[in-house]
Amino acid sequence: MAANGAARQLGVAPGMGLASAWGLAPELKVTERDGAAETRALAGLACWGGNFTPQVSLDPPAGLLLEIGGCLRLFGGLPALLQQAVDGALAQGYSLAAACAPTPLAARWLANGAPWLEPAADGPRPAATPLLAENGGPLPVCADPARLGAALAPLSLDCLELPRQQRQRLENFGVACLGDLLALPRAGLNRRLGLQLAADLARALGEVPDPRPRFPFPDTFRQGLELPARVDDAPALNFAARRLLQQLQGWLASRGAGVGRCTLELQHEKYAGSTRRGLPPTRLVLGFAGLTRDGERLQRVLSERLGRLALAAPVDALTLIADQVEELPGSDRQLPGQAPPEEEGTDPARTAVALERIKARLGEDKVYSLAAVPDHRPEQATRRCAPNLDLHGIMARTQDPGHSQAMAGQGPRPLWLLAHPQALGETQGRPRHGGPLQLLAGPERIESGWWDEGESADGLPAPGDLRRDYFVARNPAGEWLWVFRDESGWFLHGRFA
Amino acid sequence: MPLPETTLPPALPDYAELHCLSNFSFLRGASHPEELVQRAVELGYGALAVTDECSFAGSVRAHVAAKAVGFKLIHGTEIVLADGLKLVLLAQNREGYGNLSALITLARRRAEKGAYRLTRGDLEGFGPSGALPDCLALWVPSFNPDPADGRWLAQRFPNRAWLAVELHAGPDDRGRLEQLQQLAADCGLPLLAAGDVHMHSRARRPLQDVLTALRLNTTVFAAGHALHPNGERHLRPRLRLARLYPPELLAETLAVAARCTFSLDELRYEYPEEVVPHGLTPAAYLRQEVEAGLAVRYPDGVPEKARAQVEYELGLIARLQYEAYFLTVYDIVRFARSREILCQGRGSAANSAVCYALGITEVDPAKSELLFERFISAERGEPPDIDVDFEHQRREEVIQYLYEKYGRERAALTGALITYRTRGALRDAGRALGFGREQIDALANTLAWWDKQDELPDRLRAVGLDPESPRVAKWLAVSRALRGFPRHLSQHVGGFVISRGPLSRLVPIENAAMAERSVIQWDKDDIDALGLMKVDVLALGMLSAIRRALDMLGARDGKPVRLQDIPRESKAVYDMLCRGDSLGIFQVESRAQMAMLPRLKPRQFYDLVVQVAIVRPGPIQGDMVHPYLKRRHGEEKIEKISPAVDKVLERTYGVPIFQEQVMQLAVVAAGFTPGEADQLRRAMAAWKRKGGLEPFEQKLIRGMQERGLPESFARRIFEQIKGFGDYGFPESHAASFAILVYFSAWLKRFEPAAFLCGLLNAHPMGFYAPAQLVQDAQRHGVTVLPPDVTHSAWESLLVELLPDHPPSRPRTVRLGLREIAGFNQAAAERIVAARQDGPFASVADLAARAGLQRPELERLAAANALQALAGHRRAAAWESAAVENTGQPRRHGSRSGHGQEAEQRKEKGSAKALGNRSSASDAANATGRSKNGMEEKDERGHALPIQGDLFAALPPPAEAPPPLPTPTEGEDLVADYATLGLTLGRHPLALLRDRLTAGRFITAAELRAAPDKKLARAAGIVTHRQRPGTASGIVFVTMEDETGPINVILRPELVEKQRRETLAARLLGVYGQLESHHGVTHLVAKRLVDLTPLLGRLATRSRDFH
Amino acid sequence: MSALPSSPAPVTLADLLARPDVWRGDALARVKAPGLATGYPELDRELPGGGWPRQALSEFLAPPEAGVAGLLAPALAALAGPLLLVAPPWPLHAAGWAAAGLPGQRLLVVEARGQDAAWACETALEEGGFAAVLAWLPDIDARGLRRLQLAAESFSGPACLVRPPARLRESSPAPLRLTVECRPQGLLVQIVKRRGGGLPPPLTLVPRLAVARLQERDRALARPALSPAAPGRPGAPARRPVHA
């Protein structure tokens, strides 16, 4: 486990067992680590990094490298640049440790040894943290390659993120800090610790080059942000949305582009009280008179919109999508060549285009595909899902014997399932629908679903425990019907054709 | 449920359910066998077959329940053959039962634990009357059945096979019935109705779904079609069955039931024959061996009392024909003796004169006050109970002996039924209901660790769950229902069942999780219920420790030392115990025991028996401790109740301490028969879980009143019985333990160095870590030397036993290489072997001659065991780290030879302290042989690893030793703790003493000398935290400094306020007040300070809440 | 979602025919791809191309209850590729479609009504990428129909439209028009317009539904309806083997 600043204060330490942690801090809030979310977050932060330099590299799992050698002048020198970068990153809402060095590895090691900076609690902007105080502020900086060795020397071995065994070995030698390590004869060290460490040291010290792959800025911009707490009041979203706008700004800068229109989606709470339905997201389309990547301008337009907006329901997440992006003339940065060649219209591609067009007009949720869900309750047995156009895969699955076998034990199921069972009249204890029904198979008893009884799903009451006897029936008109009887009577539930 | 009714219900038909799973079909059946039987009786069924899947594990419970109400039970099993054919097989008679049991054994033994495998071929090898004689077969056809299967079955089971029609309100029952009727006609099988019952009532549907989800390792949400579509798989009322099935299908079930007449009552247990030599009767042989034993025990003639006792016991044994049982135990013990495996019997029958004579126990009944007459009850008809403890490191040899002697067909371990407890039920129910791992952990852990069950709602809130939410309510409800459900079959710790004929025809045998073990499908209670015999072969760490110490003394003195040779009733031993100086001693080393010793002041053996039994939750909760102590010290008068009662309680000053006394009281004071008293004992053990003590309450109190005893006394006795609960301790066990208390105390008092070696080499065991054992030994004048490749063996040894020890260094121990974390025995033995050929010149020499790999060398270096070769540990580490690069890893030659040797020795399990050297040198001799027959030796004749030779010939690249600083004392100390878990240098607190003194913290020694009620501060490394269930939230912390242990008491309020310090501090400062009684000092904490930062990286470990 | 037609747009037949862009049924038929076998040989015989036409609109004049989907299912199941269902009258039950050979992933559903539904249908036909399009458009107007027919001409698969029977009297550019009615004996299918002219007599088809066998069984046993209270009377006891 990992722990934030407040938790560490209470004695919770990374690597600790959960039970011990709760023993120490009963109020501790624990969330499962979400690797995908971390990757998304890092990508978002990399976009933001585009504000400073096009040379952004990811240093996974949680590191970001900005090559700032080429843009010092643009930001008024190193101290100013560092201050802006750290303030900006904090404004993105992350706890962070930062450092500046002539090589990426040295910068990372220094950052590993630097104190953590915490973002200010939700407010307009964190007070600028003085980073470069005379006697060493919280941001270690070594700009001079010649002094790099000295700057690294006091770092603890922890900063090197060594494999456990190497780390242990060095400790056995009595090596406590990087300085001790550098003092050991390099050849002897190589014999004992292998070449990887030697190579790392050389890279950190700048003795060999250490090129890093650049972050591939995505071709389209779509970034989400989960809010730490639900927000009831639209203007209060400004602060969070600003983070996304800054990322957009960085992304635009990196490709020398501007945005003509973008959309901010406000996702509403999914699990509101059982009485309220889950609402589709609210879309705010922000149009700009001309192309822009000016953060302040983006922000102004957004504030205006949010100021007039009354939220239909509390919001718990935001997504920002850049809709209309074009090269912004006058750009001094290169546009990475990426436009993929036009492809011959294959079937899936044409399907996709058609669906895209339909969705664009009718709405995302009006077009869907279906998935059979193995739930005995008919209402639960179908789920809407996003279209999957990989038809080869689908056909293969359909022909899979296991698939048909799973279907084999199941009773007859209709093509259509009425949205709500329709109560039927009775004649002499026999259900009626366009005349008395002929019951051809059944009763098929379905008793299932106790597990979500009394709960709600997506804002609706869950179907809960069903207790029904189903029959295949035919009416005098020749319609094939699926009817059931429960303690309140007969119902029409489905049609077979 | 709704059902269109247009016709009148037919008359209630008779019915027997022939396909029914209990919850012993783990994670399938959702009802206890008892519930099924009871429900079948309520519904007026003619019979019920319990047919758990390839198992008879629930059969005894079902049998007991059915027998109690006179209901007809049929034994059978559901089996799915490897090709998918599903059958229900029913036993018609004893022969058929045996065949089924053997078939289940076959299917289980050839698959992994928990699985089984049976093919059609297994049903084809039988005689002319078809497969599986005296069994009936029901075919449960699949959705799309093949008539060929039915024909095959009809042929295998001529006139003994049916097609089971199981209708569960499926999509088209009518169609299914027609399909099966057609099928039956096609393959010539008659039809019958069956229920595929999974639960006794429909209401268990949620639980059944949860079990299904757990079985598939998923949640009920995701289990989908694996769940049954409805709750029809329960015992259905006959009216409903009448509407579902044609009457002749129901009638057929009774015809089948009538053909099954077997009852478990027909099982007869027979003792193995081979324990009696040919030509002798068991009685004669037992008499012969007892007489021989008496002659050894009493060389000066058998005392009158002992003689009378022996005669009485032999008479009773003869009457009940238990000779073979005693002889079986005798045989096991004799085997252990022959292998020099220390053992000791306990249990009610163990402390008999017969067992003493046979050498099963060392407790001399003539010298103790134990009353023997109830050791086996003629009335109960239950076999006697003897458990035998063996050295824990060598018990496996005994187990394998049993397997070897009786064969796996006749000997197997008793099963142990693992049932859901609250925590496991919460965990699994939570998992099945889709709760997150974190939430489940949080809830389950806090529950077990800190909280009582009625605090559950609060606990739920504390972990972020709403106790009112429906999901949480379901979680709790399902957990409650799941509690007590069997979860899987495990192995009993050591209960062996041995039979004369093939055991598998008595009860199915399956594989245990452990390789080379097989267990029967019945547990202890089942065996008791059927009156089968078992012998408990248990493991005891202290016996290993004592054995090792005795071996070492024998080697030192040149003559074997046995338990019998230890002088009894030594005053010095009792003096030491009275001081509470008991660290390391069996049973009385815990803090509570240590505190009790100076109060109880044991002066003779029987006092130790009481001491062992009295510091238990039973006597403590029954409030028996204080009266006992007061009366013992003459501070309170012993009240006279009645002569009979007084006689029972005489030896414990009128206070019932032992389970036997309670039973005896019930007999003499309340008129219970011995059998009823035994029922009382069982009820006592179970009432907290099940209740059911009330009938005894009335009977007991009425009985006492009728015999003129005051009601107040009766009530008090009853309360004490309740207090005993699960924890009543039998006197017979206490006596067996007490003798080990005495032996280990004697060793500690007179041979502390050997005792330390024994404890260290038998570790892990007992209450204390090696660090505390070593410190305690040092305080008792033992010199302890660090592990050193130039001196140490694998185990810790007296220096006298090392070839090169200085002339006279008594009470000195050289720690073994086994104390080094992560080091391995094979490497240690290679070092010892290589050393015999001459001292090591350098680390490289060591590595080459002992075939050590770099990681092994580095562990030695880190533990400072290379000091003699390489200087301080850092220099040694630097040298060791270079080793791998001087040559290729050694793949054969010395290394593999040693490895095999070590493996073989391990298999034999005789890794004895002193044997190591000789066997290791054998291994060294084997070293000279290389794989391809080439002999490669250096000038001293040592084998060299072939691959390394090329490079070994070259001088290593010249390399100046780097400037590695000598570690400071503190750094050494940290490294010692990290590698050895202890330090032989100064105690960490000695290094910190100046700073502690500045903070006015005093030492443990000063604390012991300080007056009662004094306010004091002390600091120490936390070694134990305990929160006994009996102490209402108080936490006991034991810490130690350089002068000894410090006992700290934390009241619940303080714990709540200073949770972090309580739980996390490794170096704890305590501001508190002294409480000093009878020479025992506690510091009652008022405030805690976490001083851990002072320790730096000192790697101490506290043994928390064990 | 309503299955009922809203009031038809007030356009007269004369108006329609006067428009130049209206395709007339009696105009020269272009050569089209062979039809898609319907799964009912007696029906295939009556259809130009031997099955449901491709690259053209087929119009089913039937109430939703008549079960056009069931009628089409065998043919659709034989296709590969996604099917688009526009404005279906009820929610789809995936298990039922899967049992008919159409797993849910192959089905793409558009929820829309009125103009939107027609537009979605047209867009899908224009863009292609579907094996077939099946749309319920109770209130589409003539102009919309024409646009659909034009779009369908460039669409490779069948394009089927379900409209209320009342629209029968309105003219339509669809080259194939049929009425479908549910009858106790089965589906009564009447071709009311087809290429090549001539109208065959109505056909009664037993729909290829899994449940249809239940009726056959019922008939074979010569029993009235299932009596739920007493299911499973013994069949033929004489054949029953017994153990002596």
Side-chain angles (χ1 to χ4, degrees), chain A residues 34-182:
Chain A
D34 180 349
E38 286 180 21
T39 308
R40 284 198 300 275
L42 193 58
L45 198 59
C47 285
W48 160 86
N51 282 313
F52 295 91
T53 167
Q55 301 199 38
V56 178
S57 303
L58 301 184
D59 197 4
L64 188 67
L65 292 165
L66 304 183
E67 163 61 54
I68 51 168
C71 46
L72 290 176
R73 220 165 19 87
L74 220 61
F75 291 86
L78 183 63
L81 172 58
L82 290 175
Q83 188 73 51
Q84 283 182 52
V86 170
D87 286 349
L90 288 173
Q92 284 286 308
Y94 295 102
S95 305
L96 60 94
C100 171
T103 68
L105 201 50
R108 169 137 186 176
W109 288 355
L110 283 170
N112 285 340
W116 283 82
L117 305 171
E118 300 287 340
D122 273 16
R125 201 175 247 283
T129 323
L131 297 173
L132 304 165
E134 278 303 309
N135 47 358
L139 196 150
V141 175
C142 171
D144 178 2
R147 296 199 57 253
L148 190 51
L152 293 176
L155 287 183
S156 118
L157 286 185
D158 292 334
C159 301
L160 271 62
E161 301 167 88
L162 294 171
R164 231 171 65 90
Q165 196 198 5
Q166 283 204 349
R167 167 72 203 262
Q168 186 59 53
R169 197 164 281 165
L170 287 172
E171 271 181 16
N172 290 348
F173 299 160
V175 170
C177 63
L178 197 48
D180 294 347
L181 178 58
L182 293 173

Side-chain angles (χ1 to χ4, degrees), chain A residues 190-278:
Chain A
N190 289 354
R191 279 182 66 198
R192 288 165 176 83
L193 291 165
L195 296 175
Q196 181 61 42
L197 179 65
D200 282 351
L201 288 174
R203 282 209 302 273
L205 294 172
E207 294 163 2
V208 297
D210 184 11
R212 299 297 180 108
R214 278 204 205 176
F215 171 66
F217 285 94
D219 294 338
T220 55
F221 184 89
R222 182 190 177 94
Q223 283 291 329
L225 179 68
E226 284 187 25
L227 304 179
R230 60 178 215 171
V231 172
D232 300 291
D233 178 29
L237 293 170
N238 258 315
F239 176 67
R242 183 200 308 268
R243 294 180 188 165
L244 293 174
L245 290 175
Q246 283 163 346
Q247 292 179 9
L248 173 60
Q249 187 187 345
W251 178 80
L252 291 168
S254 75
R255 27 196 320 132
V259 66
R261 193 179 70 232
C262 61
T263 308
L264 184 69
E265 282 184 3
L266 316 180
Q267 270 98 27
H268 298 294
E269 264 189 321
K270 260 192 185 149
Y271 302 99
S274 57
T275 49
R276 206 181 311 143
R277 289 167 146 273

Side-chain angles (χ1 to χ4, degrees), chain A residues 264-268 278-284 317 319 364-365:
Chain A
L264 184 69
E265 282 184 3
L266 316 180
Q267 270 98 27
H268 298 294
L279 289 174
T282 304
R283 285 196 175 70
L284 291 184
T319 306
E364 190 81 21
D365 55 335

Side-chain angles (χ1 to χ4, degrees), chain C:
Chain C
M1 167 176 349
S2 165
L4 300 173
S6 53
S7 55
V11 181
T12 68
L13 188 59
D15 286 346
L16 270 178
L17 293 177
R19 301 198 33 179
D21 52 351
V22 171
W23 180 85
R24 300 283 297 269
D26 49 357
L28 186 68
R30 272 168 288 173
V31 178
K32 291 281 178 181
L36 171 67
T38 62
Y40 308 88
E42 61 269 49
L43 180 56
D44 287 346
R45 278 194 292 276
E46 304 298 343
L47 296 174
W52 303 121
R54 304 176 202 256
Q55 298 178 6
L57 215 53
S58 303
E59 189 182 345
F60 296 80
L61 298 146
E65 294 82 7
V68 171
L71 175 67
L72 286 170
L76 299 179
L79 289 168
L83 308 177
L84 190 74
L85 289 92
V86 179
W90 303 286
L92 282 73
H93 189 59
W97 289 87
L102 290 157
Q105 305 98 307
R106 276 190 64 194
L107 306 174
L108 296 164
V109 179
V110 176
E111 255 181 36
R113 53 176 64 194
Q115 288 296 314
D116 282 346
W119 173 85
C121 197
E122 183 185 338
T123 306
L125 294 173
E126 259 172 27
E127 296 286 355
F130 305 98
V133 172
L134 175 54
W136 286 259
L137 301 173
D139 41 9
I140 187 169
D141 59 17
R143 184 182 142 80
L145 274 179
R146 230 169 18 250
R147 295 179 59 110
L148 286 189
Q149 168 58 21
L150 281 174
E153 282 168 20
S154 66
F155 181 75
S156 58
C160 304
L161 222 57
V162 184
R163 302 182 67 206
R167 304 293 180 145
L168 175 61
R169 58 189 174 83
E170 297 171 15
S171 88
S172 158
L176 177 65
R177 302 186 82 196
L178 321 86
T179 61
V180 182
E181 283 174 54
C182 230
R183 290 291 164 84
Q185 301 76 21
L187 283 179
L188 184 68
V189 177
Q190 166 82 66
I191 297 175
V192 295
K193 172 183 174 186
R194 63 175 171 181
R195 280 202 184 109
L199 294 182
L203 295 169
T204 301
L205 306 174
V206 177
R208 300 265 185 274
L209 299 175
V211 285
R213 68 174 174 85
L214 294 173
Q215 196 182 22
E216 288 159 25
R217 178 179 75 186
D218 237 42
R219 280 205 197 97
L221 293 172
R223 270 197 304 239
L226 170 71
S227 163
R233 287 289 165 205
R239 287 186 304 170
R240 184 183 312 281
V242 282
H243 290 319

Side-chain angles (χ1 to χ4, degrees), chain B residues 520-675:
Chain B
I520 62 170
Q521 287 187 332
W522 290 340
D523 75 356
K524 189 171 158 298
D525 293 346
D526 295 334
I527 290 170
D528 279 357
L530 293 181
L532 305 188
M533 183 208 84
K534 81 172 200 311
V535 185
D536 279 358
V537 177
L538 304 172
L540 197 57
M542 182 53 74
L543 283 173
S544 300
I546 293 176
R547 151 110 254 132
R548 274 143 202 279
L550 292 181
D551 276 352
M552 238 172 279
L553 294 177
R556 183 194 65 189
D557 302 343
K559 64 176 169 85
V561 180
R562 299 165 304 165
L563 279 184
Q564 299 95 289
D565 303 327
I566 292 177
R568 304 295 173 93
E569 301 300 85
S570 154
K571 180 173 176 301
V573 168
Y574 286 106
D575 287 346
M576 177 182 75
L577 287 171
C578 286
R579 287 196 301 273
D581 183 3
S582 65
L583 195 146
I585 298 178
F586 186 58
Q587 284 283 317
V588 296
E589 63 173 344
S590 74
R591 176 168 158 177
Q593 288 278 7
M594 272 187 185
M596 182 62 69
L597 283 168
R599 299 172 66 190
L600 197 137
K601 296 201 198 312
R603 298 303 325 173
Q604 53 170 327
F605 177 69
Y606 193 76
D607 295 341
L608 295 181
V609 179
V610 172
Q611 169 84 29
V612 164
I614 202 167
V615 186
R616 306 264 161 193
I620 292 171
Q621 283 178 349
D623 200 19
M624 297 160 193
V625 178
H626 289 283
Y628 177 84
L629 289 175
K630 278 189 182 156
R631 293 172 183 196
R632 177 177 163 82
H633 299 307
E635 294 161 21
E636 187 180 292
K637 223 167 70 58
I638 301 165
E639 57 180 330
K640 299 280 176 204
I641 306 294
S642 76
V645 170
D646 294 346
K647 187 166 183 303
V648 171
L649 299 179
E650 194 179 11
R651 60 191 188 279
T652 51
Y653 303 97
V655 181
I657 304 279
F658 302 111
Q659 209 176 52
E660 286 92 338
Q661 289 176 311
V662 172
M663 289 169 65
Q664 221 180 339
L665 274 183
V667 174
V668 304
F672 280 45
T673 65

